[in-house]
């Protein structure tokens, strides 16, 4: 599967080799984007910074290559407004990326939270998760938030089916946790749970309403309120 990793410049933190472990089963697309100040010609910024930015991107690509993942590099310059969202959508479509990671501060990929509202994206999410090296994952938690106690049994059955799919693809029972919580605000419960993990994997929603909105409201509500990377698996 292909994984689009946006790299926003200028940036202060660099990935380490430990950050890319577990991604050897993916084709990586590094989407470099240099935010240009308001009123500044992107061409001028490109002329000044393109060489250094490309060098950093290719060093990141080398890190992924050393880990065994194939890598493609792109670099774009432009304003930090809806142009970025529109460009992201175009790059995702052009590369036909299976999933997009919104980096935040990437640490490790071995403690994964998978919130599932229902089973509509279950096949795609399982396909994505099985591209990880199972040996690098020590916890993968399937998580559902029910708004009423009467929904708990159905939610456990739904998550149990996803668990069986993962077991059939090489995960072990010690890798997996299944949790159903009851809460009035599902987003808040997911965000609280995300603090116990170092990456969140969700499915793309069908809530997109305009071109500048990137991957749906559910992603935006979660990604904006948590400090861990969020990976959106596309339909």
């Amino acid at each position: 599967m292909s994984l689009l990793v946006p790299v926003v410049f200028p940036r202060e933190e660099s990935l380490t080799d430990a950050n890319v472990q577990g991604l050897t089963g993916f084709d990586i697309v590094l989407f470099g984007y240099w935010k240009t100040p308001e009123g500044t010609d992107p061409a001028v910024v490109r002329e000044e910074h393109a060489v250094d930015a490309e060098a950093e991107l290719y060093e990141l690509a080398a890190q992924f290559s050393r880990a065994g993942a194939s890598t493609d590099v792109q670099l774009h310059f432009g304003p930090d407004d809806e142009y970025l969202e529109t460009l992201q959508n175009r790059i995702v479509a052009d590369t036909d990326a299976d999933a997009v990671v919104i980096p935040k501060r990437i640490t490790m990929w071995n403690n994964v939270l998978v919130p599932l509202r229902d089973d509509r994206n279950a096949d795609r999410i399982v396909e994505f998760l099985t591209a990880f090296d199972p040996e690098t994952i020590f916890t993968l938690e399937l998580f559902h938030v029910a708004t009423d106690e009467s929904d708990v049994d159905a939610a456990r059955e739904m998550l149990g089916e996803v668990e069986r799919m993962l077991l059939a693809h090489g995960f072990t029972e010690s890798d997996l946790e299944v949790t159903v919580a009851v809460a009035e605000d599902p987003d808040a419960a997911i965000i609280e749970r995300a603090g116990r993990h170092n990456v969140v994997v969700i499915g793309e929603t069908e809530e997109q309403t305009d071109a500048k909105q990137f991957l749906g409201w559910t992603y935006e509500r979660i990604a904006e309120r948590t400090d861990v990377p969020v990976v959106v698996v596309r339909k």
Side-chain angles (χ1 to χ4, degrees):
M1 299 191 78
S2 56
L3 180 63
L4 182 74
V5 181
V7 181
V8 179
F9 295 96
R11 54 200 299 266
E12 297 177 356
E13 295 182 354
S14 298
L15 294 178
T16 66
D17 285 341
N19 300 142
V20 303
Q21 295 303 312
L23 299 181
T24 57
F26 294 96
D27 294 325
I28 304 297
V29 179
L30 293 175
F31 164 45
Y33 187 81
W34 193 294
K35 298 179 183 178
T36 56
E38 185 176 355
T40 303
D41 184 352
V44 173
V45 180
R46 174 183 287 275
E47 183 176 354
E48 183 178 357
H49 297 289
V51 172
D52 290 340
E54 286 180 350
E56 187 166 353
L57 283 173
Y58 279 104
E59 174 54 33
L60 287 175
Q63 290 177 254
F64 282 103
S65 295
R66 285 194 295 271
S70 65
T71 312
D72 181 44
V73 170
Q74 299 195 22
L75 177 61
H76 303 266
F77 289 76
D80 182 22
D81 56 18
E82 62 186 63
Y83 173 81
L84 173 57
E85 283 75 19
T86 302
L87 179 61
Q88 283 177 315
N89 278 312
R90 181 171 66 78
I91 298 302
V92 168
D94 288 351
T95 61
D96 197 26
D98 294 299
V100 182
V101 57
I102 309 305
K104 295 296 183 76
R105 182 176 179 274
I106 296 175
T107 54
M108 301 288 285
W109 300 86
N110 54 8
N111 189 342
V112 183
L113 177 67
V114 185
L116 290 166
R117 182 168 50 185
D118 51 47
D119 61 1
R120 281 179 294 178
N121 292 314
D123 289 344
R124 288 287 289 163
I125 290 174
V126 167
E127 184 181 4
F128 174 80
L129 294 171
T130 54
F132 283 100
D133 179 354
E135 293 184 3
T136 68
I137 294 180
F138 65 79
T139 299
L140 193 158
E141 181 177 14
L142 302 173
F143 186 62
H144 176 85
V145 183
T147 55
D148 190 276
E149 290 283 356
S150 62
D151 297 327
V152 169
D153 288 344
R156 285 184 177 143
E157 182 177 347
M158 182 268 293
L159 293 183
E161 179 57 32
V162 178
E163 180 185 30
R164 287 188 286 274
M165 293 167 66
L166 289 167
L167 290 171
H169 282 84
F171 285 87
T172 67
E173 291 185 358
S174 62
D175 298 325
L176 305 176
E177 295 181 7
V178 175
T179 305
V180 177
V182 179
E184 294 182 359
D185 185 344
D187 290 349
I190 292 170
I191 291 158
E192 187 280 328
R193 202 74 178 185
R196 309 181 189 186
H197 300 266
N198 50 35
V199 63
V200 178
V201 175
I202 63 175
E204 183 179 7
T205 69
E206 299 176 352
E207 302 162 341
Q208 217 166 320
T209 57
D210 56 57
K212 70 177 184 178
Q213 188 181 330
F214 188 46
L215 298 173
W217 282 117
T218 298
Y219 145 71
E220 291 190 2
R221 288 195 300 263
I222 295 171
E224 289 177 357
R225 295 164 59 189
T226 182
D227 292 329
V228 302
V230 176
V231 177
V232 183
V233 180
R234 299 178 64 222
K235 295 189 293 294

